[in-house]
Amino acid sequence: MARLRLLGSFVASYLFEGGAVWLYLNREAVSWYVYAAITAHVFSGLSFILFTAPKPWALPGMGFYYPRIAALFTLFMPLIGLFGISMTLLAARVFMQSHGLAEEYKEKAYEGSGLDVDLPTDITGFLYDEVDVHPIADILSGDDMEMKRGAVNLLRRIGSAEAVSLLRKSLSDESAEVRFYAHTALTRLEEDYADAVDKARFRAEKYDSAQAHAELASTYRNYARSGLPEVNMQVRTMAFACEHWRKAVEKDQENKDYLMRLAESYVESKSFSESLHIYRETMKDPELELESRLGICRTFFEMGNFIALFQEVEQLRAQPELKSADPFKTLIYNFWMENTLSGAEGNEADFSGVEHEL
């Protein structure tokens, strides 16, 4: 769409410019032809503004900056400027080639092609595999602008908390170009999340269903965990997530997944008493017992209440071995059962002394 708009701008500009040239060449026939030629020339430059995006963040490059540059050349260099910028952009498109990661991700990250690709969440491992001996830290601290731009584009597409952290570090890069790319990537991420929240909020207000509220809560939670918002905004966003998970649970009380996601959101928003209440209630359900006990352990760990954590793990150890179809939950369960308790018996007296002091 951006290319079609830019092409339409050039067609309109050439028509206006051609009309201006004809009117100027025939100015002796009618006196007002000169003024008509000037007007046509002005419209030749304005066509690049009228046919393209009104704001720079809407679509950089092809959608905003190129047309504005073409408008300036066309307006201040009659006929020659329009032809020159046309040849320049055409030559740049044909002969200039990107290298490295930039070639693969430039279209997706900056021109909004909408190509849906599966990208890994482990950005460090992915980049080690993709660029072999050039890890991400070397790319962002090196001198190859194409590689650094490609790395920033890739981080923007991933959008995880780790990616956001690396983009924030790139804001202090010594290269102004890298700082610009990083700032643009972070801005686009903010806009993507804002757009996702607006759409999810619209569906929640329109349908007022459990699924719509759960989608909005999940969007709020992902934004809060992305590392983009500041601390105060992160707290507020997590509060919104808890609110809509709660509405989803109220509208679909049979959905156990909504209830467990609400408990997780309570932990992440530091509403520990609410999360403990949910986990202790769901612990009575055999299907949720393992996840609930692990949630209680996580809650005590986040609270910093290691005495209660120790006691909870002791109770977990006294229970028959719990099973889960989720390998991640099984891994966490084995961690608490093995690693945490490996030295607990030998240090029980010291731990009791700490409890007494507290």
Side-chain angles (χ1 to χ4, degrees), residues 144-164:
D144 192 329
M145 287 298 105
E146 296 293 344
M147 289 290 290
K148 295 172 81 169
R149 180 173 62 178
V152 170
N153 292 352
L154 174 60
L155 294 176
R156 184 260 164 184
R157 292 294 298 177
I158 294 172
S160 64
E162 295 83 358
V164 170

Side-chain angles (χ1 to χ4, degrees), residues 244-279:
H244 288 281
W245 278 126
R246 192 163 51 246
K247 290 182 179 180
V249 170
E250 292 172 356
K251 294 181 177 297
D252 188 0
Q253 298 182 5
E254 299 299 322
N255 194 313
K256 301 175 182 178
D257 183 65
Y258 291 167
L259 187 60
M260 301 310 289
R261 300 296 81 77
L262 173 60
E264 291 176 359
S265 298
Y266 275 141
V267 175
E268 293 168 4
S269 62
K270 301 189 183 305
S271 301
F272 299 121
S273 58
E274 289 85 350
S275 64
L276 286 174
H277 175 73
I278 294 176
Y279 284 135

Side-chain angles (χ1 to χ4, degrees), residues 69-219:
I69 294 174
L72 291 175
F73 273 85
T74 302
L75 190 61
F76 292 103
M77 300 177 64
L79 191 60
I80 299 176
L82 178 60
F83 180 76
I85 194 65
S86 302
M87 293 298 101
T88 300
L89 292 179
L90 180 62
R93 189 68 183 173
V94 173
F95 298 108
M96 293 180 64
Q97 298 293 330
S98 299
H99 301 284
L101 295 175
E103 174 65 22
E104 186 173 357
Y105 294 102
K106 177 182 176 181
E107 290 287 326
K108 298 189 293 296
Y110 281 92
E111 295 185 8
S113 64
L115 181 61
D116 187 15
V117 295
D118 293 327
L119 291 172
T121 56
D122 182 4
I123 58 173
T124 304
F126 174 79
L127 287 171
Y128 267 100
D129 293 339
E130 286 294 307
V131 298
D132 193 16
V133 296
H134 297 287
I136 184 63
D138 291 343
I139 293 177
L140 294 177
S141 62
D143 299 326
D144 192 329
M145 287 298 105
E146 296 293 344
M147 289 290 290
K148 295 172 81 169
R149 180 173 62 178
V152 170
N153 292 352
L154 174 60
L155 294 176
R156 184 260 164 184
R157 292 294 298 177
I158 294 172
S160 64
E162 295 83 358
V164 170
S165 177
L166 288 175
L167 286 173
R168 289 192 183 280
K169 292 180 181 178
S170 299
L171 291 175
S172 59
D173 192 274
E174 60 182 10
S175 170
E177 189 175 2
V178 173
R179 295 197 300 270
F180 168 76
Y181 290 140
H183 182 271
T184 302
L186 288 170
T187 303
R188 292 291 299 275
L189 277 173
E190 286 278 4
E191 293 163 359
D192 291 343
Y193 273 112
D195 184 59
V197 168
D198 288 340
K199 291 179 180 178
R201 187 189 297 116
F202 172 80
R203 286 189 288 268
E205 293 174 353
K206 180 178 181 180
Y207 301 110
D208 195 26
S209 63
Q211 182 178 355
H213 284 289
E215 180 185 355
L216 179 55
S218 180
T219 305

